[in-house]
Amino acid sequence: RRSPPSLRSYAVLLANIAFIDLVASIASLLTITRVIPVGEMIALIYNGPCVIISGFFCNFLIIVDAVVLTQTHFLIAVSFAYRLYVLVRPKFPSRRHIIHMCLIIALFW
């Protein structure tokens, strides 16, 4: 709320990155996975609290963690693109455009 007008749309991007990182941290904390190579495959051994619920829940959290980490990388790239855009153009993108960009990344990645 107290961001300068030039950075308000960037604040939306930062808040989205923070939320995505929080979800990734919680998923990683709940799984605490140990990866063991077995020939040409890998075996995942779950040591976290997710084993109390079920193995399916642990697998679901691993998928959530992988998807969220991918989104984090794309959002960091968008963050760099935003800063480059701001350097080249005098007009800042609106909050709505940034929110739409974050939703598109969330839906397609």
Side-chain angles (χ1 to χ4, degrees):
R1 292 184 180 184
R2 295 181 182 169
S3 299
S6 61
L7 293 178
R8 288 198 180 148
S9 59
Y10 190 65
V12 171
L13 190 59
L14 289 177
N16 191 10
I17 292 172
F19 175 73
I20 294 293
D21 285 344
L22 177 68
V23 172
S25 298
I26 291 171
S28 295
L29 178 70
L30 290 175
T31 55
I32 306 176
T33 308
R34 182 173 178 187
V35 179
I36 300 176
V38 179
E40 295 181 8
M41 300 180 294
I42 57 171
L44 300 176
I45 298 177
Y46 303 114
N47 294 325
C50 71
V51 296
I52 296 171
I53 297 174
S54 72
F56 177 78
F57 183 65
C58 292
N59 289 334
F60 175 75
L61 286 177
I62 287 292
I63 292 169
V64 167
D65 195 23
V67 169
V68 167
L69 288 176
T70 304
Q71 284 184 1
T72 299
H73 289 44
F74 281 109
L75 286 172
I76 290 171
V78 168
S79 175
F80 281 110
Y82 177 90
R83 288 181 264 179
L84 181 64
Y85 179 85
V86 168
L87 287 174
V88 174
R89 304 205 188 261
K91 185 179 177 188
F92 294 97
S94 68
R95 279 183 165 188
R96 188 168 41 148
H97 288 123
I98 299 298
I99 290 171
H100 287 145
M101 189 181 314
C102 292
L103 287 174
I104 287 171
I105 289 172
L107 291 175
F108 292 109
W109 303 109

